Amino acid sequence: TMQSAGHRFRDVEHHPLLADTEGYDAAEAAERVWFIRDGCGMVCALMTWLLVVYADFVVTFVMLLPSKDFWYSVINGVLFNCLAVLALSSHLRTMLTDPGAVPKGNATKEYMDNLQLKPGEVIYKCPKCCSIKPERAHHCSICKRCIRKMDHHCPWVNNCVGEKNQRFFVLFTMYIALISAHALVLCGFQFFSCVRGQWTECSDFSPPVTVILMIFLCLEGFLFLTFTAVMFGTQIHSICNDETEIERLKSEKPTWERRLRWEGMKSVFGGQPSLLWISPFAGFRLRRLLLRAKKGGPEFAV
């Protein structure tokens, strides 16, 4: 326990008196390249990409290109590949965006004096990363940082889901669910077409290889559709209730004023409803990122 300038530090995990946005530079966070060096997370993230690429390969080369219906192949090929690009882009934005990390080691006398707290006010310090914990922040043992409005740490995106990247995670789950459902529908049509006609004519691959590839795609599509659809619904429910998964599991009583459902959605997705809500490219500044990389290289989380 430390005392200074009339306020007290407490090395416990409770709600502090700091506001969510106090001491947080959103513009700086948006420019920062964020990456977690976690072996399990990097393997899971790579597996996600490989599974999407596998699905795209089976759909394109096993089912669509051999099809005799030109427009069926073109329409479904364009739609499937667009969904794949959107899903992988959302995955990248989730993985490489600072989720809302509190500056490490900012629990100093100078920083505390700048907060201009009233005498007797209690602020809380994280003993693990030596930072002053804002309200609703939690420490992640994998990221080794306190994360604002931390929902959970997801190994599939090798990052925490928090205040600044929750929108991209929601888009990632939505597009993976859509691409999985599309793959399952295409598999159903393909099986029906092959059974009704000749297996040797419905694919450029041999019948056994075609069946094995499609069975694996069906299993992958079913598992990912179930997982991501449930996760998408859970995230939307949390946003509408202005409650993170950690807060729900810990049954924490809200010390903040909860937003209305629509206000919560606008807070996460940004502004009034528009097509930008479903775009993982919104707010991305490649030129600024390249200039930053030239000056001092990208910043990585430790």
Side-chain angles (χ1 to χ4, degrees), residues 14-289:
H14 289 298
H15 294 299
L17 300 174
L18 300 179
D20 270 352
T21 54
E22 183 129 27
Y24 187 80
D25 192 337
E28 181 183 349
E31 294 179 10
R32 184 182 304 134
V33 177
W34 175 270
F35 185 78
I36 302 299
R37 295 187 181 95
D38 174 57
C40 176
M42 289 188 284
V43 169
C44 289
L46 179 62
M47 283 180 58
T48 302
W49 275 68
L50 291 177
L51 288 170
V52 173
V53 170
Y54 169 78
D56 191 65
F57 169 79
V58 176
V59 167
T60 303
F61 293 98
V62 178
M63 291 191 280
L64 295 181
L65 287 181
S67 175
K68 296 178 181 178
D69 190 332
F70 175 77
W71 288 112
Y72 171 83
S73 299
V74 170
I75 293 173
N76 282 286
V78 169
L79 177 60
F80 192 89
N81 281 278
C82 285
L83 289 175
V85 169
L86 290 169
L88 294 178
S89 299
S90 301
H91 183 273
L92 272 181
R93 292 300 300 274
T94 309
M95 182 171 62
L96 301 179
T97 298
D98 179 351
V102 179
K104 186 183 289 187
N106 69 347
T108 62
K109 182 180 182 302
E110 292 77 17
Y111 183 76
M112 188 174 61
D113 290 339
N114 289 334
L115 293 177
Q116 298 179 346
L117 298 175
K118 298 176 182 178
E121 283 187 321
V122 179
I123 56 179
Y124 296 95
K125 185 187 78 171
C126 175
K128 299 174 183 177
C129 59
C130 295
S131 61
I132 298 177
K133 294 185 65 175
E135 189 176 34
R136 305 182 71 181
H138 292 273
H139 185 86
C140 175
S141 58
I142 299 175
C143 295
K144 297 180 175 62
R145 300 288 289 273
C146 284
I147 307 297
R148 295 171 182 269
K149 288 184 66 177
M150 176 181 169
D151 189 83
H152 68 287
H153 185 95
C154 179
W156 294 104
V157 298
N158 189 33
N159 200 2
C160 274
V161 177
E163 185 177 66
K164 299 300 177 183
N165 68 345
Q166 188 176 24
R167 178 170 79 93
F168 303 124
F169 182 74
V170 172
L171 293 180
F172 168 66
T173 57
M174 181 183 75
Y175 286 124
I176 289 292
L178 289 175
I179 198 175
S180 300
H182 192 195
L184 289 173
V185 170
L186 291 176
C187 281
F189 278 115
Q190 187 72 9
F191 272 119
F192 178 77
S193 174
C194 291
V195 168
R196 189 181 59 176
Q198 294 292 328
W199 277 92
T200 53
E201 297 179 1
C202 71
S203 175
D204 293 337
F205 294 84
S206 65
V209 172
T210 301
V211 171
I212 292 173
L213 291 174
M214 290 175 60
I215 287 177
F216 273 112
L217 179 60
C218 287
L219 291 174
E220 176 192 339
F222 177 77
L223 290 174
F224 270 79
L225 174 60
T226 304
F227 174 76
T228 54
V230 170
M231 185 60 71
F232 175 78
T234 302
Q235 288 293 303
I236 295 298
H237 181 266
S238 296
I239 293 171
C240 290
N241 288 342
D242 195 13
E243 181 182 49
T244 66
E245 187 66 16
I246 291 179
E247 292 163 351
R248 187 185 68 81
L249 291 175
K250 289 187 174 182
S251 300
E252 294 184 358
K253 295 181 180 179
T255 58
W256 62 93
E257 184 178 352
R258 284 186 168 176
R259 295 186 178 96
L260 299 175
R261 293 185 176 184
W262 197 241
E263 291 301 318
M265 292 290 288
K266 289 195 292 185
S267 171
V268 171
F269 289 92
Q272 295 297 325
S274 69
L275 289 177
L276 293 177
W277 276 26
I278 60 174
S279 170
F281 305 106
F284 182 68
R285 299 291 183 269
L286 180 60
R287 184 179 177 184
R288 182 185 298 174
L289 188 64

Side-chain angles (χ1 to χ4, degrees), residues 282-302:
F284 182 68
R285 299 291 183 269
L286 180 60
R287 184 179 177 184
R288 182 185 298 174
L289 188 64
L290 291 175
L291 288 174
R292 190 177 183 86
K294 287 180 180 178
K295 289 179 180 178
E299 296 181 20
F300 288 94
V302 226

